Amino acid sequence: MSNNTDMSYRSQGQFDARLDVVLDSLRVAIFYAKYSVKKEGVELIPQSDIDDLEYMQTKLKAIQDRSFVHFLDQDD
């Protein structure tokens, strides 16, 4: 495997890892926003904003899923 290919896989891995961090943070934020309403009766943000966060989470996950396939397709 060439050095350039090794660097490309490393860059792809770093990109994927950074998206994982963002997705994990979104999961936690969504959990606490929902938990605060159910358990403490405090609405941190409106439900529409929670919906927006969940949409962002879904969109980021889809981008992450497609990114590796796109990366591999460039080798053809």
Side-chain angles (χ1 to χ4, degrees):
M1 189 176 274
S2 74
N3 194 22
N4 190 32
T5 303
D6 290 343
M7 299 260 313
S8 296
Y9 275 94
R10 186 176 359 214
S11 294
Q12 175 61 30
Q14 289 172 347
F15 176 76
D16 193 59
R18 286 179 174 89
L19 280 180
D20 279 339
V21 169
V22 172
L23 286 166
D24 287 344
S25 296
L26 270 174
R27 277 187 213 99
V28 171
I30 292 166
F31 171 79
Y32 280 108
K34 289 179 174 182
Y35 175 83
S36 69
V37 172
K38 289 180 182 175
K39 299 296 181 189
E40 300 169 13
V42 176
E43 187 176 73
L44 298 177
I45 59 175
Q47 180 61 46
S48 62
D49 289 342
I50 293 172
D51 295 342
D52 289 344
L53 289 175
E54 289 175 329
Y55 173 77
M56 281 189 263
Q57 181 183 21
T58 302
K59 187 73 173 167
L60 282 171
K61 184 62 181 148
I63 290 169
Q64 184 181 39
D65 292 345
R66 289 189 313 261
S67 71
F68 190 66
V69 172
H70 175 75
F71 170 72
L72 291 177
D73 285 347
Q74 293 179 63
D75 252 357
D76 293 344

